[in-house]
Amino acid sequence: MKCCCFADDPTGAYKSGHVLDMGTQPAGTVMECCLSPGLSSGCEDTGYIDLSQDGVSWTEVESFATSSVPKPEGGWEAVCVTVESTESFQYVRGANDKCYVDQFKCTIPCSVP
């Protein structure tokens, strides 16, 4: 799932963020999440990836340094991290405290039977 979400965090926990509904996922799910911060070039911040079963209670699973670095073709460079859940979840929140979240996406690899 992907969003373009240059907006306030809908949960109110961070300055900017977006929540993706990934459907019901079991504990142990591994996914790659990419967050592109933006606001002005060089905006330094910390990115957060949080998981929730109900969209109300959140567990932080990753935090990492971000900086608004322009891409030559426009937009901002993404920082990608691999996260593994320790409990089941449905929602993933990607957020920043200072820079706005320009884009946020998470992908879950296909399982091999």
Side-chain angles (χ1 to χ4, degrees):
M1 299 196 78
K2 180 179 180 179
C3 76
C4 293
C5 43
F6 206 69
D8 293 337
D9 174 12
T11 68
Y14 301 98
K15 175 178 178 159
S16 177
H18 195 75
V19 175
L20 301 176
D21 184 341
M22 302 298 286
T24 302
Q25 300 296 325
T29 297
V30 176
M31 64 184 160
E32 181 178 66
C33 293
C34 298
L35 189 148
S36 301
L39 183 58
S40 59
S41 184
C43 181
E44 303 282 331
D45 204 350
T46 300
Y48 300 94
I49 307 293
D50 304 325
L51 302 178
S52 175
Q53 181 62 46
D54 59 8
V56 177
S57 300
W58 294 89
T59 301
E60 181 182 309
V61 292
E62 189 69 52
S63 63
F64 47 91
T66 63
S67 179
S68 297
V69 178
K71 294 191 293 190
E73 66 273 14
W76 307 96
E77 291 288 344
V79 176
C80 298
V81 295
T82 300
V83 297
E84 182 174 353
S85 66
T86 57
E87 53 192 49
S88 63
F89 69 95
Q90 180 171 345
Y91 303 100
V92 181
R93 174 174 61 195
N96 274 139
D97 277 329
K98 295 181 233 165
C99 311
Y100 278 98
V101 174
D102 185 36
Q103 291 191 12
F104 178 57
K105 71 176 182 175
C106 291
T107 54
I108 298 172
C110 297
S111 59
V112 179

XYZ file of all heavy atoms in Angstrom:
833
model
N 0.843 -1.174 0.000
C 0.000 0.000 0.000
C 0.883 1.230 0.000
O 1.966 1.228 0.553
C -0.891 0.009 1.227
C -1.819 -1.173 1.328
S -3.133 -0.864 2.513
C -4.175 0.161 1.519
N 0.397 2.311 -0.582
C 1.177 3.537 -0.707
C 0.261 4.739 -0.534
O -0.907 4.682 -0.870
C 1.843 3.577 -2.089
C 2.674 4.814 -2.323
C 3.314 4.770 -3.699
C 4.149 6.003 -3.923
N 4.806 5.989 -5.222
N 0.815 5.820 -0.025
C 0.043 7.053 0.054
C 0.941 8.228 -0.277
O 2.151 8.170 -0.124
C -0.539 7.270 1.447
S 0.685 7.839 2.642
N 0.346 9.282 -0.743
C 0.982 10.588 -0.823
C 0.275 11.389 0.263
O -0.914 11.641 0.158
C 0.781 11.230 -2.188
S 1.621 10.348 -3.499
N 1.003 11.719 1.295
C 0.293 12.183 2.493
C 0.998 13.368 3.145
O 1.438 13.272 4.290
C 0.145 11.036 3.472
S 1.613 10.019 3.650
N 1.100 14.446 2.445
C 1.715 15.658 2.966
C 0.695 16.328 3.882
O 0.107 17.353 3.558
C 2.076 16.557 1.771
C 3.200 17.506 2.025
C 4.488 17.038 2.186
C 2.969 18.864 2.091
C 5.547 17.909 2.402
C 4.021 19.742 2.312
C 5.301 19.276 2.467
N 0.417 15.662 5.024
C -0.677 16.112 5.891
C -0.368 15.820 7.349
O 0.584 15.134 7.670
C -1.972 15.398 5.490
N -1.211 16.349 8.229
C -1.077 16.088 9.664
C -1.309 14.609 9.957
O -2.056 13.930 9.253
C -2.098 16.918 10.448
C -1.824 18.418 10.377
O -0.666 18.791 10.116
O -2.771 19.192 10.575
N -0.674 14.100 11.014
C -0.876 12.726 11.462
C -2.319 12.583 11.933
O -2.749 13.281 12.847
C 0.112 12.417 12.596
C -0.110 11.058 13.239
O -0.877 10.234 12.689
O 0.496 10.812 14.289
N -3.106 11.682 11.321
C -4.511 11.549 11.714
C -4.696 11.050 13.145
O -5.766 11.233 13.720
C -5.079 10.547 10.701
C -3.904 9.775 10.222
C -2.738 10.728 10.279
N -3.656 10.433 13.742
C -3.774 9.956 15.112
C -3.381 11.017 16.130
O -3.591 10.848 17.322
C -2.901 8.706 15.343
O -1.517 9.081 15.274
C -3.197 7.623 14.322
N -2.766 12.119 15.673
C -2.390 13.210 16.564
C -1.110 12.995 17.350
O -0.730 13.843 18.150
N -0.406 11.884 17.133
C 0.803 11.591 17.906
C 2.030 12.330 17.377
O 2.930 12.666 18.140
C 1.076 10.091 17.914
N 2.079 12.575 16.068
C 3.232 13.210 15.435
C 2.774 14.421 14.628
O 1.589 14.603 14.387
C 3.945 12.222 14.503
C 4.438 10.981 15.196
C 3.701 9.799 15.163
C 5.632 10.982 15.902
C 4.148 8.651 15.801
C 6.092 9.840 16.550
C 5.346 8.681 16.491
O 5.794 7.551 17.123
N 3.726 15.223 14.166
C 3.359 16.383 13.359
C 2.727 15.942 12.038
O 1.740 16.491 11.586
C 4.586 17.252 13.070
C 4.278 18.398 12.129
C 5.455 19.291 11.869
C 5.040 20.362 10.884
N 5.890 21.516 10.935
N 3.358 14.966 11.397
C 2.882 14.518 10.094
C 2.962 13.001 10.028
O 3.867 12.391 10.590
C 3.742 15.129 8.987
O 3.362 14.663 7.714
N 2.020 12.398 9.342
C 2.057 10.952 9.198
C 0.896 10.445 8.389
O 0.025 11.204 7.972
N 0.906 9.152 8.170
C -0.191 8.507 7.474
C -0.355 7.102 8.017
O 0.613 6.482 8.449
C 0.057 8.468 5.965
C -1.186 8.136 5.203
N -2.193 9.045 5.008
C -1.589 7.001 4.622
C -3.170 8.469 4.318
N -2.819 7.222 4.072
N -1.577 6.611 7.974
C -1.899 5.274 8.455
C -2.355 4.440 7.257
O -3.247 4.849 6.518
C -2.997 5.326 9.539
C -3.416 3.920 9.942
C -2.517 6.115 10.749
N -1.713 3.269 7.089
C -2.092 2.331 6.038
C -2.837 1.162 6.661
O -2.434 0.642 7.695
C -0.838 1.796 5.332
C 0.080 2.823 4.679
C 1.310 2.127 4.108
C -0.649 3.601 3.597
N -3.926 0.746 6.028
C -4.670 -0.441 6.456
C -4.128 -1.624 5.654
O -4.364 -1.724 4.452
C -6.161 -0.241 6.190
C -7.020 -1.395 6.701
O -6.478 -2.504 6.941
O -8.234 -1.189 6.845
N -3.390 -2.508 6.320
C -2.749 -3.641 5.659
C -3.589 -4.912 5.748
O -3.139 -5.982 5.355
C -1.372 -3.901 6.285
C -0.424 -2.725 6.238
S 0.003 -2.156 4.583
C 1.114 -3.455 4.070
N -4.811 -4.812 6.285
C -5.606 -6.014 6.503
C -5.031 -6.758 7.702
O -3.986 -6.399 8.227
N -5.690 -7.778 8.152
C -5.219 -8.524 9.321
C -3.931 -9.273 8.983
O -3.906 -10.057 8.034
C -6.299 -9.508 9.792
O -7.480 -8.764 10.098
C -5.849 -10.260 11.032
N -2.876 -9.008 9.759
C -1.564 -9.628 9.557
C -1.149 -10.337 10.841
O -1.319 -9.797 11.932
C -0.513 -8.581 9.188
C -0.818 -7.806 7.924
C -0.840 -8.692 6.690
O -0.069 -9.645 6.585
N -1.742 -8.399 5.773
N -0.576 -11.543 10.740
C -0.185 -12.289 11.933
C 1.144 -11.814 12.511
O 1.940 -11.150 11.828
C -0.048 -13.725 11.411
C 0.363 -13.553 9.978
C -0.363 -12.312 9.508
N 1.406 -12.162 13.761
C 2.713 -11.908 14.372
C 3.774 -12.567 13.505
O 3.542 -13.617 12.922
C 2.749 -12.472 15.789
N 4.928 -11.930 13.398
C 6.014 -12.455 12.581
C 6.002 -11.953 11.153
O 6.895 -12.278 10.379
N 4.995 -11.148 10.777
C 4.949 -10.596 9.426
C 6.147 -9.678 9.213
O 6.453 -8.834 10.052
C 3.641 -9.798 9.201
O 2.538 -10.691 9.327
C 3.612 -9.132 7.845
N 6.826 -9.855 8.088
C 7.958 -9.013 7.710
C 7.512 -8.144 6.543
O 6.876 -8.622 5.602
C 9.171 -9.874 7.296
C 10.306 -9.003 6.803
C 9.633 -10.745 8.457
N 7.818 -6.857 6.608
C 7.473 -5.960 5.504
C 8.532 -4.880 5.370
O 9.276 -4.594 6.308
C 6.095 -5.345 5.705
C 5.954 -4.456 6.878
S 4.244 -3.912 7.036
C 4.260 -3.436 8.738
N 8.594 -4.306 4.178
C 9.482 -3.178 3.942
C 8.622 -1.918 3.893
O 7.622 -1.872 3.172
C 10.254 -3.325 2.634
C 11.196 -2.137 2.425
C 12.030 -2.237 1.176
O 11.447 -2.189 0.075
O 13.254 -2.364 1.310
N 9.024 -0.920 4.683
C 8.321 0.358 4.695
C 9.294 1.453 4.276
O 10.441 1.477 4.726
C 7.767 0.665 6.083
S 6.444 -0.452 6.600
N 8.826 2.334 3.406
C 9.640 3.442 2.908
C 8.926 4.753 3.206
O 7.755 4.913 2.880
C 9.866 3.319 1.411
S 10.762 1.826 0.935
N 9.656 5.677 3.830
C 9.112 6.977 4.204
C 9.944 8.057 3.527
O 11.162 8.053 3.628
C 9.169 7.133 5.722
C 8.464 8.334 6.315
C 7.924 7.964 7.688
C 9.395 9.512 6.445
N 9.279 8.948 2.797
C 9.943 10.087 2.168
C 9.555 11.340 2.936
O 8.401 11.757 2.879
C 9.510 10.254 0.709
O 9.808 9.103 -0.032
N 10.494 11.939 3.688
C 10.166 13.183 4.378
C 10.261 14.350 3.407
O 10.963 14.275 2.405
C 11.241 13.290 5.456
C 12.413 12.601 4.851
C 11.859 11.506 3.992
N 9.571 15.409 3.699
C 9.628 16.602 2.875
C 9.211 17.805 3.689
O 8.668 17.667 4.764
N 9.487 18.950 3.267
C 9.083 20.242 3.826
C 9.956 21.264 3.140
O 9.494 22.043 2.342
C 9.233 20.317 5.352
C 8.764 21.610 5.996
C 7.304 21.891 5.685
C 8.982 21.611 7.496
N 11.235 21.202 3.455
C 12.217 22.001 2.739
C 13.494 21.179 2.686
O 13.720 20.307 3.520
C 12.455 23.339 3.442
O 12.906 23.122 4.761
N 14.310 21.418 1.699
C 15.533 20.659 1.528
C 16.378 20.697 2.794
O 16.570 21.753 3.393
C 16.328 21.221 0.354
O 17.474 20.446 0.125
N 16.839 19.513 3.227
C 17.707 19.425 4.394
C 16.977 19.349 5.719
O 17.612 19.370 6.764
N 15.655 19.237 5.716
C 14.916 19.117 6.970
C 15.323 17.823 7.657
O 15.112 16.735 7.129
C 13.411 19.137 6.712
S 12.421 19.033 8.209
N 15.961 17.908 8.811
C 16.440 16.744 9.566
C 15.359 16.302 10.555
O 14.776 17.137 11.234
C 17.710 17.097 10.338
C 18.842 17.614 9.476
C 19.574 16.513 8.732
O 19.617 15.388 9.252
O 20.087 16.792 7.632
N 15.136 14.992 10.659
C 14.060 14.509 11.515
C 14.305 13.050 11.893
O 15.296 12.451 11.510
C 12.727 14.633 10.768
C 11.519 14.733 11.683
O 11.654 14.530 12.906
O 10.424 15.014 11.172
N 13.371 12.488 12.626
C 13.342 11.068 12.936
C 12.055 10.503 12.368
O 10.979 11.071 12.573
C 13.386 10.833 14.464
O 14.588 11.407 14.987
C 13.345 9.358 14.799
N 12.162 9.414 11.628
C 10.997 8.718 11.105
C 10.589 7.620 12.070
O 11.436 7.030 12.747
N 9.300 7.353 12.141
C 8.764 6.320 13.039
C 7.842 5.394 12.260
O 7.038 5.857 11.444
C 7.965 6.950 14.183
C 8.770 7.882 15.036
C 8.792 9.240 14.774
C 9.537 7.397 16.095
C 9.552 10.110 15.558
C 10.297 8.257 16.873
C 10.301 9.610 16.596
O 11.057 10.457 17.369
N 7.963 4.096 12.531
C 7.028 3.100 12.007
C 6.370 2.451 13.221
O 7.048 1.914 14.096
C 7.736 2.024 11.161
C 8.597 2.649 10.055
C 6.710 1.032 10.602
C 7.833 3.371 8.985
N 5.054 2.537 13.293
C 4.288 1.991 14.413
C 3.214 1.050 13.870
O 2.694 1.257 12.771
C 3.607 3.119 15.194
C 4.581 4.178 15.693
O 5.719 3.819 16.044
O 4.199 5.363 15.734
N 2.860 0.051 14.668
C 1.830 -0.914 14.294
C 0.683 -0.877 15.298
O 0.885 -0.578 16.469
C 2.417 -2.337 14.281
C 3.600 -2.589 13.357
C 4.078 -4.034 13.499
C 3.259 -2.269 11.920
N -0.520 -1.218 14.808
C -1.700 -1.243 15.674
C -2.695 -2.277 15.175
O -2.869 -2.456 13.964
C -2.368 0.135 15.683
O -3.573 0.105 16.422
N -3.348 -2.930 16.103
C -4.421 -3.857 15.755
C -5.741 -3.114 15.569
O -6.542 -3.452 14.717
C -4.585 -4.928 16.849
C -5.655 -5.952 16.555
C -5.375 -6.770 15.303
O -4.280 -7.248 15.088
N -6.371 -6.909 14.461
N -5.948 -2.060 16.391
C -7.237 -1.375 16.396
C -7.206 0.067 15.885
O -8.242 0.715 15.790
C -7.826 -1.391 17.809
C -6.919 -0.719 18.833
O -5.905 -0.094 18.460
O -7.224 -0.846 20.037
N -6.026 0.608 15.572
C -5.919 1.990 15.110
C -5.940 2.999 16.248
O -5.921 4.202 16.013
N -5.978 2.522 17.499
C -6.004 3.400 18.672
C -4.735 3.221 19.503
O -4.074 4.188 19.857
C -7.261 3.127 19.532
C -7.246 3.976 20.785
C -8.529 3.359 18.727
N -4.396 1.986 19.843
C -3.183 1.675 20.606
C -2.066 1.321 19.626
O -2.262 0.455 18.760
C -3.428 0.481 21.533
O -4.473 0.781 22.432
N -0.897 1.976 19.773
C 0.193 1.818 18.816
C 1.455 1.304 19.496
O 1.740 1.652 20.635
C 0.496 3.158 18.151
C -0.638 3.625 17.311
C -1.694 4.394 17.715
C -0.866 3.345 15.936
N -2.567 4.597 16.674
C -2.072 3.963 15.565
C -0.161 2.608 14.982
C -2.585 3.887 14.279
C -0.677 2.537 13.691
C -1.875 3.165 13.351
N 2.240 0.492 18.752
C 3.531 0.002 19.206
C 4.594 0.439 18.206
O 4.481 0.126 17.007
C 3.535 -1.545 19.300
O 2.513 -1.948 20.210
C 4.889 -2.057 19.769
N 5.609 1.166 18.682
C 6.699 1.576 17.800
C 7.565 0.362 17.488
O 7.997 -0.351 18.382
C 7.551 2.659 18.465
C 8.678 3.146 17.582
C 9.548 4.180 18.268
O 8.986 5.166 18.808
O 10.773 4.000 18.276
N 7.822 0.121 16.194
C 8.662 -1.008 15.801
C 9.966 -0.557 15.161
O 10.883 -1.354 15.014
C 7.918 -1.985 14.852
C 6.801 -2.695 15.597
C 7.402 -1.288 13.620
N 10.063 0.717 14.787
C 11.289 1.206 14.156
C 11.330 2.734 14.229
O 10.308 3.393 14.114
C 11.331 0.773 12.686
C 12.633 1.034 11.983
C 13.772 0.161 12.474
O 13.612 -1.075 12.513
O 14.821 0.724 12.826
N 12.531 3.250 14.458
C 12.764 4.691 14.328
C 14.119 4.854 13.654
O 15.015 4.024 13.828
C 12.729 5.398 15.683
O 13.764 4.946 16.519
N 14.265 5.907 12.862
C 15.470 6.090 12.061
C 15.592 7.549 11.641
O 14.598 8.275 11.568
C 15.433 5.179 10.818
C 14.114 5.238 10.079
C 13.907 6.137 9.053
C 13.070 4.401 10.446
C 12.692 6.200 8.392
C 11.842 4.445 9.791
C 11.660 5.355 8.754
N 16.830 7.977 11.371
C 17.084 9.349 10.942
C 16.583 9.550 9.514
O 16.725 8.668 8.666
C 18.573 9.653 11.022
N 15.985 10.712 9.275
C 15.554 11.085 7.923
C 16.033 12.497 7.631
O 16.298 13.286 8.532
C 14.022 11.032 7.762
O 13.425 11.992 8.637
C 13.464 9.654 8.057
N 16.116 12.817 6.355
C 16.484 14.156 5.914
C 15.841 14.390 4.561
O 15.836 13.490 3.713
C 18.011 14.281 5.798
O 18.360 15.564 5.359
N 15.295 15.580 4.348
C 14.660 15.901 3.067
C 15.740 16.142 2.026
O 16.346 17.208 1.979
C 13.775 17.138 3.211
O 12.728 16.891 4.110
N 15.988 15.104 1.214
C 16.982 15.176 0.141
C 16.238 15.117 -1.185
O 15.571 14.118 -1.476
C 17.986 14.006 0.249
C 18.987 14.054 -0.884
C 18.681 14.024 1.604
N 16.307 16.193 -1.996
C 15.575 16.201 -3.266
C 16.114 15.164 -4.253
O 17.316 14.950 -4.337
C 15.797 17.612 -3.812
C 16.350 18.406 -2.685
C 17.004 17.457 -1.752
N 15.208 14.517 -4.988
C 15.582 13.623 -6.082
C 15.695 14.474 -7.344
O 14.949 15.454 -7.496
C 14.529 12.538 -6.295
C 14.415 11.574 -5.144
C 13.557 10.368 -5.487
C 12.117 10.743 -5.706
N 11.221 9.592 -5.815
N 16.598 14.134 -8.275
C 16.742 14.921 -9.506
C 15.447 15.033 -10.304
O 15.180 16.054 -10.915
C 17.806 14.153 -10.303
C 18.531 13.324 -9.297
C 17.559 13.047 -8.192
N 14.618 13.980 -10.261
C 13.374 13.994 -11.029
C 12.210 14.623 -10.262
O 11.081 14.632 -10.717
C 13.011 12.572 -11.481
C 12.670 11.617 -10.362
C 13.866 10.891 -9.743
O 15.031 11.271 -9.967
O 13.622 9.933 -8.997
N 12.473 15.156 -9.073
C 11.431 15.778 -8.264
C 11.036 14.892 -7.098
O 11.259 13.685 -7.110
N 10.475 15.472 -6.075
C 10.110 14.734 -4.878
C 11.314 14.566 -3.973
O 12.324 15.249 -4.122
N 11.217 13.625 -3.022
C 12.229 13.449 -1.991
C 12.702 12.017 -1.940
O 11.942 11.097 -2.216
C 11.666 13.867 -0.632
C 11.087 15.236 -0.631
C 9.767 15.562 -0.790
C 11.778 16.469 -0.492
N 9.603 16.923 -0.746
C 10.832 17.507 -0.569
C 13.113 16.806 -0.309
C 11.172 18.846 -0.461
C 13.451 18.149 -0.200
C 12.490 19.145 -0.272
N 13.971 11.815 -1.561
C 14.524 10.472 -1.401
C 13.857 9.758 -0.224
O 13.671 10.340 0.837
C 16.031 10.531 -1.148
C 16.842 10.990 -2.337
C 16.919 9.966 -3.453
O 16.609 8.778 -3.235
O 17.277 10.382 -4.570
N 13.538 8.493 -0.413
C 12.910 7.683 0.635
C 13.967 6.993 1.482
O 15.051 6.672 1.007
C 11.996 6.639 0.011
N 13.635 6.766 2.754
C 14.423 5.916 3.628
C 13.580 4.659 3.837
O 12.418 4.742 4.245
C 14.715 6.599 4.983
C 15.458 5.651 5.907
C 15.495 7.887 4.782
N 14.177 3.493 3.539
C 13.437 2.230 3.636
C 14.013 1.367 4.753
O 15.234 1.316 4.931
C 13.506 1.475 2.315
S 12.736 2.374 0.939
N 13.133 0.724 5.498
C 13.530 -0.178 6.581
C 12.690 -1.442 6.493
O 11.562 -1.428 6.007
C 13.353 0.471 7.978
C 14.287 1.645 8.159
C 11.913 0.898 8.217
N 13.263 -2.546 6.951
C 12.530 -3.805 7.046
C 12.118 -3.986 8.501
O 12.943 -3.853 9.402
C 13.408 -4.980 6.591
O 13.798 -4.748 5.223
C 12.660 -6.298 6.685
N 10.842 -4.237 8.710
C 10.334 -4.425 10.069
C 9.659 -5.784 10.173
O 9.129 -6.309 9.198
C 9.345 -3.305 10.486
C 10.026 -1.961 10.509
C 8.135 -3.259 9.580
N 9.706 -6.357 11.380
C 9.028 -7.616 11.659
C 8.139 -7.419 12.878
O 8.595 -6.918 13.906
C 10.023 -8.735 11.927
C 9.360 -10.070 12.175
C 10.343 -11.220 12.294
O 11.544 -11.012 12.059
O 9.891 -12.324 12.627
N 6.881 -7.791 12.754
C 5.940 -7.606 13.857
C 6.117 -8.702 14.902
O 6.405 -9.845 14.561
C 4.502 -7.611 13.339
O 4.172 -8.890 12.832
N 5.948 -8.332 16.150
C 5.990 -9.317 17.227
C 4.580 -9.713 17.657
O 4.409 -10.624 18.459
C 6.756 -8.782 18.457
O 6.124 -7.570 18.893
C 8.213 -8.510 18.116
N 3.592 -9.006 17.123
C 2.193 -9.327 17.410
C 1.374 -9.056 16.160
O 1.844 -8.408 15.225
C 1.684 -8.503 18.591
C 1.901 -7.018 18.431
C 1.662 -6.234 19.710
O 2.206 -6.640 20.754
O 0.943 -5.228 19.651
N 0.159 -9.558 16.123
C -0.688 -9.323 14.954
C -1.035 -7.837 14.865
O -1.016 -7.117 15.866
C -1.953 -10.176 15.033
O -2.730 -9.818 16.157
N -1.325 -7.381 13.656
C -1.655 -5.971 13.441
C -2.510 -5.822 12.193
O -2.626 -6.740 11.385
C -0.378 -5.129 13.311
C 0.407 -5.391 12.052
C 0.237 -4.612 10.924
C 1.318 -6.434 11.992
C 0.946 -4.866 9.765
C 2.045 -6.693 10.842
C 1.852 -5.909 9.718
N -3.095 -4.646 12.049
C -3.832 -4.299 10.838
C -3.338 -2.979 10.259
O -3.284 -2.822 9.062
C -5.332 -4.199 11.119
C -6.128 -3.848 9.865
C -7.625 -3.960 10.048
O -8.100 -4.559 11.016
N -8.369 -3.399 9.124
N -2.954 -2.047 11.123
C -2.586 -0.701 10.675
C -1.097 -0.428 10.869
O -0.501 -0.868 11.849
C -3.394 0.344 11.447
C -4.876 0.142 11.314
C -5.606 -0.478 12.318
C -5.547 0.544 10.162
C -6.968 -0.682 12.198
C -6.911 0.336 10.028
C -7.615 -0.271 11.046
O -8.970 -0.484 10.913
N -0.520 0.320 9.931
C 0.872 0.755 10.005
C 0.876 2.275 9.896
O 0.244 2.837 8.994
C 1.720 0.171 8.853
C 3.161 0.626 8.961
C 1.629 -1.330 8.831
N 1.572 2.918 10.833
C 1.681 4.389 10.807
C 3.132 4.749 10.489
O 4.058 4.249 11.116
C 1.279 4.958 12.165
C 1.489 6.469 12.291
C 0.943 7.022 13.597
N 1.608 6.436 14.753
C 1.142 6.510 15.996
N 0.008 7.120 16.253
N 1.805 5.966 16.997
N 3.321 5.630 9.524
C 4.629 6.197 9.209
C 4.571 7.676 9.516
O 3.648 8.366 9.067
N 5.523 8.182 10.308
C 5.385 9.556 10.797
C 6.735 10.252 10.971
O 7.775 9.608 11.058
C 4.643 9.545 12.129
N 6.684 11.579 11.045
C 7.805 12.467 11.347
C 7.341 13.509 12.353
O 6.158 13.836 12.428
C 8.283 13.221 10.107
C 9.293 12.481 9.268
O 9.217 12.521 8.057
N 10.241 11.822 9.880
N 8.295 14.072 13.112
C 7.974 15.132 14.069
C 8.134 16.537 13.501
O 7.410 17.448 13.874
C 8.857 15.012 15.323
C 8.309 13.998 16.306
O 7.081 13.832 16.375
O 9.113 13.370 16.995
N 9.122 16.754 12.619
C 9.395 18.099 12.093
C 9.081 18.229 10.609
O 8.431 19.168 10.186
C 10.863 18.463 12.318
C 11.254 18.595 13.767
C 12.717 18.985 13.861
C 13.420 18.021 14.772
N 14.847 18.052 14.705
N 9.619 17.313 9.803
C 9.379 17.337 8.356
C 8.028 16.672 8.075
O 7.616 15.787 8.808
C 10.469 16.552 7.628
S 12.151 16.961 8.105
N 7.367 17.082 7.030
C 6.137 16.386 6.657
C 6.477 15.073 5.991
O 7.531 14.922 5.377
C 5.289 17.241 5.710
C 4.470 18.263 6.437
C 4.901 19.570 6.539
C 3.277 17.898 7.041
C 4.154 20.506 7.237
C 2.525 18.822 7.735
C 2.970 20.125 7.827
O 2.232 21.042 8.516
N 5.575 14.092 6.090
C 5.722 12.842 5.359
C 5.207 13.107 3.947
O 4.032 13.408 3.753
C 4.921 11.701 6.032
C 4.977 10.448 5.172
C 5.474 11.423 7.422
N 6.123 13.052 2.975
C 5.758 13.295 1.585
C 5.108 12.050 0.992
O 4.054 12.132 0.377
C 7.006 13.703 0.796
C 6.700 14.103 -0.628
O 5.653 14.715 -0.859
O 7.509 13.777 -1.513
N 5.729 10.883 1.181
C 5.147 9.624 0.738
C 5.483 8.536 1.747
O 6.529 8.575 2.384
C 5.676 9.217 -0.636
C 5.188 10.127 -1.736
C 5.486 9.562 -3.117
O 5.858 8.402 -3.274
N 5.304 10.376 -4.123
N 4.585 7.568 1.875
C 4.787 6.443 2.779
C 4.212 5.203 2.114
O 3.095 5.233 1.598
C 4.072 6.704 4.113
C 4.179 5.579 5.104
C 5.416 5.106 5.516
C 3.046 4.982 5.621
C 5.521 4.065 6.423
C 3.143 3.947 6.539
C 4.388 3.487 6.944
N 5.008 4.119 2.079
C 4.491 2.863 1.517
C 5.078 1.697 2.282
O 6.186 1.758 2.817
C 4.784 2.736 0.024
C 6.239 2.491 -0.303
C 6.405 2.271 -1.796
C 7.869 1.981 -2.119
N 8.056 1.655 -3.518
N 4.307 0.620 2.362
C 4.773 -0.623 2.978
C 4.373 -1.766 2.058
O 3.282 -1.773 1.492
C 4.120 -0.830 4.344
S 4.679 0.335 5.600
N 5.285 -2.740 1.935
C 5.006 -3.915 1.115
C 5.323 -5.163 1.930
O 6.291 -5.193 2.688
C 5.831 -3.910 -0.184
O 7.212 -3.770 0.149
C 5.421 -2.783 -1.096
N 4.481 -6.156 1.755
C 4.680 -7.453 2.396
C 4.997 -8.436 1.265
O 4.204 -8.575 0.322
C 3.417 -7.904 3.153
C 3.097 -6.904 4.269
C 3.591 -9.313 3.710
C 1.766 -7.136 4.963
N 6.169 -9.092 1.333
C 6.519 -10.037 0.259
C 5.515 -11.175 0.165
O 4.922 -11.575 1.172
C 7.893 -10.569 0.665
C 8.387 -9.671 1.744
C 7.197 -9.022 2.366
N 5.349 -11.696 -1.039
C 4.493 -12.868 -1.226
C 5.138 -14.072 -0.553
O 6.356 -14.227 -0.580
C 4.328 -13.166 -2.707
S 3.516 -11.846 -3.613
N 4.330 -14.902 0.051
C 4.866 -16.113 0.672
C 4.969 -17.204 -0.386
O 4.165 -17.275 -1.307
C 4.002 -16.562 1.840
O 2.696 -16.817 1.375
N 5.977 -18.044 -0.252
C 6.164 -19.158 -1.187
C 5.549 -20.395 -0.558
O 5.873 -20.754 0.565
C 7.675 -19.370 -1.449
C 7.873 -20.540 -2.386
C 8.292 -18.111 -1.998
N 4.634 -21.059 -1.290
C 3.962 -22.233 -0.714
C 4.919 -23.389 -0.499
O 5.932 -23.521 -1.080
C 2.900 -22.600 -1.732
C 3.212 -21.863 -2.981
C 4.176 -20.776 -2.628
